[in-house]
Amino acid sequence: MLVAGGIGVTALVAMATALRRRDADYQLVLVGRSRATMAYVDDLVAEHGDRVRVHIDDEGTSLSVDDLVAGIARTPAAAGTELYMCGPIGLMNAISRSWAGHGLPATNLRFETFGSSGRYPAEEFLVRLPTSAGRSPSHPTPRSSTPSKRPGSTRSPTAARASAGCVWRRWSVPPAPSTTATSS
């Protein structure tokens, strides 16, 4: 299961394509506030067909996180199902709480972030880019290496390749409860 909130879709594009090419059993859930601001939605629906579920707040089809996770928990393969998510921290927190609440294995919940929304301290990281001098720049604060869709473009040519370099993490401890989840 792949769940993308807003621009978090860029981290999942290459994964969805790889799953489709392997004829794997997967679902791609796209969540956003407005279709007009959702990157790749039309391309992904065209490429993945009925494996894509689109939830858009201003179209009245907002995602029910608990329904999504409860649906996974009811399947015979629930204990082996992995969920990969990228999007707003509120959405990922809501999924994490529901996942734990349904007794699903914490080790099967994976995430990628585009920052911490200020909830976690910044950590230095190293991005290795080939240069003529063979040096790699070091960035003192977290920044996404995945490009966002530029206005007016239909596809960022580097998005799929950049997402392949994401570091996916296991969600080790469910965050403290919150009453709302945002979708983008």
Side-chain angles (χ1 to χ4, degrees):
M1 172 78 62
L2 307 174
V3 179
I7 198 61
V9 70
T10 57
L12 299 174
V13 170
M15 290 177 74
T17 298
L19 290 168
R20 182 187 52 77
R21 288 181 180 157
R22 289 182 175 93
D23 199 29
D25 184 15
Y26 70 99
Q27 290 258 316
L28 174 59
V29 179
L30 305 175
V31 183
R33 293 186 183 165
S34 168
R35 185 177 297 270
T37 62
M38 292 176 72
Y40 308 118
V41 68
D42 296 328
D43 293 335
L44 291 168
V45 169
E47 181 179 349
H48 300 280
D50 62 0
R51 293 190 176 279
V52 178
R53 294 169 36 197
V54 181
H55 297 274
I56 304 172
D57 294 349
D58 71 4
E59 292 180 10
T61 58
S62 298
L63 174 67
S64 167
V65 168
D66 199 54
D67 288 349
L68 173 75
V69 177
I72 293 168
R74 284 191 298 269
T75 65
T81 298
E82 292 182 348
L83 188 146
Y84 293 80
M85 59 181 167
C86 187
I89 198 74
L91 173 64
M92 294 194 305
N93 285 345
I95 291 171
S96 176
R97 283 189 309 278
S98 186
W99 192 266
H102 283 90
L104 295 168
T107 55
N108 291 359
L109 188 59
R110 311 294 175 99
F111 71 99
E112 165 67 17
T113 63
F114 291 119
S116 69
S117 300
R119 294 185 182 192
Y120 305 102
E123 296 177 16
E124 185 174 329
F125 70 100
L126 181 68
V127 175
R128 296 183 199 286
L129 301 172
T131 65
S132 59
R135 293 182 305 243
S136 297
S138 179
H139 296 283
T141 58
R143 295 183 191 134
S144 172
S145 62
T146 307
S148 62
K149 182 180 168 212
R150 285 175 282 223
S153 71
T154 57
R155 185 181 273 295
S156 170
T158 58
R161 284 178 291 185
S163 66
C166 292
V167 177
W168 289 90
R169 303 169 194 93
R170 289 185 179 160
W171 200 280
S172 57
V173 178
S178 174
T179 56
T180 61
T182 58
S183 58
S184 62

